[in-house]
Each structure stands twice: as structure tokens, then as C-alpha cells.
Amino acid sequence: MSENIVWHQHLVSHKDRCEQKNQKPCVLWFTGLSGSGKSTVANAVETLLYENGNHSYLLDGDNVRHGLNKDLTFNDSDRVENIRRIGEVAKLFTDSGLIVLSAFISPFKADRQQVRDLFEKGQFIEVFVDTPLEICEQRDPKGLYKKARSGEIKNFTGLDSPYEKPEKADIHLKTDGKTIEALAQEVINYLRHGAFIK
Ligand SMILES: Nc1ncnc2c1ncn2[C@@H]1O[C@H](COP(=O)(O)OS(=O)(=O)O)[C@@H](OP(=O)(O)O)[C@H]1O
Ligand SMILES: Nc1ncnc2c1ncn2[C@@H]1O[C@H](COP(=O)(O)OP(=O)(O)O)[C@@H](O)[C@H]1O
């Protein structure tokens, strides 16, 4: 870290921003295989939050890789850097008082832990979107599994690049046979129970 840099205290505090928004900020960190339903469920949760009058922002893998992280590939070290940057962005957004939803594969346990460590206890909520590889591959909405199987894409998560499942996710969404609405409601219930929202 560079020397001669001093943290600046702002006049409007974190507490002020939370009170104005009438919510307790947190990050809902969705993790799971490509095609598991991270974006879909995160979008459904954000819609419910919006309807409830909450203030949120959804950081989505594909979108962030078009801008902030467009210099990063899918090799292991770039995935580590991808998650590190997103973690820092999520930290800034929660400091602003928002409920942040992030939808990245985030395949490595150590990286998810490193992001968790940026937050106060309980503020980082890991949401495991647990959809078996076979189902993700059947869905294949972008045709990426097909390309990976044929060798056109290398280092594809779940095939020739690892996915380290969360062992104790804060919210474990077993998606099999459940509707998107039901899965989103599980997340909302968790937020209400933890008094993040009213
Ligand atoms: N090699 C490889 N492996 C996995 N995924 C790939 C790859 N190449 C491109 N894609 C597309 O990129 C999306 C995943 O980006 P993420 O930033 O979430 O990945 S990671 O967290 O850095 O592992 C992922 O989006 P989702 O399907 O929404 O998860 C894919 O569409
Ligand atoms: N619970 C679910 N039941 C049925 N289909 C789903 C469910 N969740 C997601 N899908 C579908 O699976 C596909 C992949 O979902 P997506 O949210 O893009 O996954 P990810 O963001 O993890 O790559 C989409 O076509 C979506 O409509």
C-alpha cells in the first residue's frame, strides 16, 4: 500500500445513509456454476426489494466483465483478481447504504472468504445457488457448455476448471424443482429475519 495516504472521514456518515434508506445494508453474494440461476434469482430478489421500497444494486458477472474487469480472463489468477475487485466495489456500495447483490461464479473458497473478511460480522451473506452440473449443462442458455465440451473454450468452470462448493453457506438454495419466486422468497425471508429490511 502506498505511504502518505490518510483515510478521510466524511461529514455524512454511514449511519446517516442507512437511516435515510431505512434499511441495514449487506451483500448477498450469490455463487454457483454457470447456468445455476445466480442472475435469475438475484434479479427476482432485487425486484422484491424494490417493491418493498428498499435501495439495492446488482453487480452481475457478465456486465462487470464488460467494463471494470474487461482486462481479466478466466485463468485462475484473473478469477482471483475479478473477485477481489468486486469485493471492494461491494464494500463501497454497502458503505453507501445499499443492499448489494452480486452474481459471480466465484469458484474459489479462499476468495469468497477474503471478501467476507472485508465486512462486519453477518453483513456478508453467502448464497449458494446449488444446481447440479448436469442441469446447468442441459440449460446451457449461452451455448457455453457445448463450446467447452468441444474444446472451443478452455478453463470452463465445472469441466476443466474447479468449482469449490460452499460448505456452510448462509443461504443454501437447493434449486431442484423450485420456482424462481420461491427461491427469491427464501432470500427475502432471511433478510427480514436478520432485520436487514422491514
Ligand atoms: N471459462 C469460463 N468459465 C466460466 N464462465 C465463463 C467462461 N468463459 C466465459 N464465461 C462466462 O462468464 C461468466 C462468469 O464470469 P464470472 O466473472 O462470474 O466468473 S468468475 O467468478 O471469475 O469465475 C459466465 O456467466 P454465468 O453463466 O452468468 O455464470 C459465463 O457466461
Ligand atoms: N429455478 C429455476 N428453475 C428453472 N429454470 C431456471 C431456474 N433458475 C434459473 N433458470 C434458468 O436457467 C438459465 C440460467 O440462469 P442464469 O440466471 O442465467 O444462471 P447464471 O447467472 O448462474 O449463469 C436461465 O435460462 C434461467 O431462466
Side-chain angles (χ1 to χ4, degrees):
M1 203 193 306
S2 181
E3 286 175 30
N4 307 320
I5 293 177
V6 180
W7 190 266
H8 200 282
Q9 283 301 340
H10 295 166
L11 293 177
V12 177
S13 71
H14 174 65
K15 191 163 168 279
D16 297 331
R17 291 190 288 269
C18 298
E19 279 172 8
Q20 188 187 46
K21 293 183 179 66
N22 199 22
Q23 62 187 25
K24 196 164 84 173
C26 61
V27 54
L28 289 164
W29 189 274
F30 291 80
T31 173
L33 293 169
S34 175
S36 58
K38 301 181 296 299
S39 299
T40 307
V41 179
N43 267 285
V45 172
E46 193 176 36
T47 303
L48 293 174
L49 287 173
Y50 182 81
E51 287 168 0
N52 193 49
N54 294 111
H55 300 262
S56 61
Y57 194 76
L58 170 54
L59 294 161
D60 196 291
D62 278 330
N63 298 355
V64 172
R65 278 179 173 277
H66 274 101
L68 176 67
N69 289 352
K70 69 177 173 192
D71 55 324
L72 301 178
T73 70
F74 287 92
N75 66 33
D76 286 4
S77 62
D78 278 5
R79 288 186 201 247
V80 171
E81 176 61 9
N82 185 39
I83 298 310
R84 189 193 70 78
R85 288 185 201 170
I86 307 304
E88 293 291 346
V89 172
K91 168 103 180 144
L92 290 172
F93 282 15
T94 48
D95 188 44
S96 81
L98 295 175
I99 293 173
V100 178
L101 304 95
S102 76
F104 298 85
I105 297 176
S106 41
F108 303 128
K109 246 184 230 167
D111 302 341
R112 297 192 300 261
Q113 182 62 44
Q114 215 166 36
V115 178
R116 185 188 286 274
D117 292 343
L118 292 173
F119 291 89
E120 284 167 25
K121 198 169 183 305
Q123 210 188 15
F124 174 92
I125 302 162
E126 188 174 57
V127 186
F128 178 25
V129 185
D130 187 2
T131 307
L133 177 65
E134 307 77 69
I135 297 181
C136 296
E137 195 162 357
Q138 270 166 31
R139 290 180 182 166
D140 204 8
K142 303 172 198 156
L144 296 178
Y145 282 97
K146 195 155 174 264
K147 282 189 183 165
R149 287 285 184 198
S150 72
E152 206 181 314
I153 303 179
K154 298 269 177 259
N155 300 325
F156 200 80
T157 305
L159 301 183
D160 54 349
S161 183
Y163 178 74
E164 299 171 0
K165 289 184 185 180
E167 270 150 27
K168 273 176 63 184
D170 303 287
I171 306 177
H172 186 162
L173 297 179
K174 294 180 186 153
T175 62
D176 205 13
K178 290 194 192 148
T179 64
I180 291 152
E181 293 71 26
L183 294 165
Q185 199 54 55
E186 282 185 45
V187 177
I188 293 291
N189 293 347
Y190 183 98
L191 292 179
R192 279 230 168 84
H193 188 71
F196 292 98
I197 61 172
K198 293 188 175 121

